[in-house]
């Protein structure tokens, strides 16, 4: 039962974080950040979000900027989900490099 609730909250957080990143990156032309997956701890206190950043060359730089502004992102998230969640979880961000890995495998298969 608890796992179902975790999945629902993780989907909600993924959706809302995606909207927040879409609004923030709209001003930066040529950059796209999407949330590929969100996981939440069993006590609902920590949300781990995996980000796909395009172009991948700017990934580390953007991740550092996102981590620096994580408190503002958490506040914006709290404003969006204040009626669904009592406590907004702590946010942790990681780069999801699965698309780069798939692209690398495709290049190797073409050779």
């Amino acid at each position: 039962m608890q796992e179902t609730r975790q999945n629902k909250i993780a989907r909600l957080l993924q959706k809302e974080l995606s909207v927040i990143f879409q609004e923030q990156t709209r001003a930066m032309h040529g950059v796209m950040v999407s949330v590929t997956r969100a996981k939440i701890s069993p006590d609902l206190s920590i949300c781990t979000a995996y980000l796909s950043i395009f172009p991948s060359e700017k990934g580390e730089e953007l991740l550092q900027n996102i981590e620096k502004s994580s408190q503002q992102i958490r506040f914006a998230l709290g404003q969006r989900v204040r009626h669904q969640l009592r406590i907004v979880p702590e946010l942790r961000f990681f780069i999801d490099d699965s698309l780069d890995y798939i692209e690398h495998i495709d290049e190797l298969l073409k050779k």
Side-chain angles (χ1 to χ4, degrees):
M1 187 67 184
Q2 180 71 15
E3 188 173 320
T4 304
R5 184 165 187 239
Q6 282 178 275
N7 291 336
K8 286 182 180 180
I9 292 173
R11 282 194 308 266
L12 172 70
L13 294 175
Q14 179 180 357
K15 179 182 149 231
E16 296 300 335
L17 281 172
S18 295
V19 172
I20 290 170
F21 284 127
Q22 184 180 23
E23 291 171 355
Q24 287 183 352
T25 58
R26 188 168 288 152
M28 300 168 47
H29 298 289
V31 176
M32 188 173 72
V33 177
S34 60
V35 182
T36 57
R37 186 172 50 158
K39 291 172 49 178
I40 190 141
S41 63
D43 62 353
L44 307 178
S45 65
I46 299 171
C47 175
T48 305
Y50 294 91
L51 306 176
S52 177
I53 299 174
F54 179 80
S56 58
E57 295 83 36
K58 296 183 180 180
E60 290 297 325
E61 176 186 346
L62 281 173
L63 184 65
Q64 289 175 356
N65 291 338
I66 289 169
E67 287 175 349
K68 286 179 187 175
S69 63
S70 66
Q71 292 301 318
Q72 290 90 0
I73 295 169
R74 185 177 180 197
F75 179 78
L77 182 65
Q79 295 295 313
R80 297 182 73 87
V81 298
R82 67 176 175 242
H83 298 296
Q84 288 100 352
L85 297 178
R86 188 178 304 164
I87 298 172
V88 179
E90 175 188 335
L91 300 174
R92 295 186 182 161
F93 298 104
F94 295 98
I95 292 181
D96 184 12
D97 57 354
S98 60
L99 293 177
D100 293 334
Y101 181 72
I102 291 170
E103 188 176 305
H104 178 71
I105 295 295
D106 283 343
E107 287 176 11
L108 291 176
L109 290 174
K110 287 179 183 177
K111 290 182 181 180

